[in-house]
Amino acid sequence: VQLVESGGGSVQAGGSLRLSCAASGFYFPAWCLGWFRQVPGEEREGVAIIDPAGTISYAESVRGRFTLSKDDAKETLVLQMNNLKPWDAATYYCAAREPTCKVSPGHVWGYYVMDRWGEGTLVNVSS
């Protein structure tokens, strides 16, 4: 299983970034996937998750600004981040959870339930 993130960078507050996660080594359509983020010294937190049926749940702090999508054919998970805030700055990680799994709307899992992780991509947001 391999997850490779890309798309991080530096942006001013109010700007946008698009994170991508290229997956390989597992049957992508059957797994749950998500983006998590972490600031040094703090616990890794869930940002957005999606299950095989396409049910998505967002953390309250990003709802309305971030959009999660996946392309099963391309085995790619994308997080579109708009109207970025300084507190969105973090290392963003792509993660996968083995089948079977199901997302409940309004609830984002803790990092500890995820089974596979990418190396992360850094997002900086300046005010």
Side-chain angles (χ1 to χ4, degrees), residues 18 35 50 56 58 67-71 76-79:
R18 183 180 175 89
W35 287 94
I50 185 170
I56 298 173
Y58 297 96
T67 302
L68 181 66
S69 62
K70 67 168 183 163
D71 186 326
T76 301
L77 183 72
V78 173
L79 184 68

Side-chain angles (χ1 to χ4, degrees), residues 75-123:
E75 297 185 322
T76 301
L77 183 72
V78 173
L79 184 68
Q80 177 66 43
M81 306 188 295
N82 296 330
N83 191 19
L84 282 159
K85 311 293 186 182
W87 52 85
D88 291 320
T91 298
Y92 282 71
Y93 297 89
C94 177
R97 184 178 182 183
E98 295 181 2
T100 59
C101 49
K102 182 176 174 60
V103 168
S104 299
H107 175 66
V108 178
W109 301 321
Y111 71 93
Y112 40 83
V113 308
M114 306 306 286
D115 298 299
R116 300 288 190 270
W117 293 92
E119 294 295 317
T121 185
L122 184 62
V123 171

Side-chain angles (χ1 to χ4, degrees), residues 4 6 12 25 30 34 43 63 74 78 80:
V4 180
S6 61
Q12 287 190 325
E43 185 171 288
R63 202 169 295 148
K74 296 182 179 179
V78 173
Q80 177 66 43

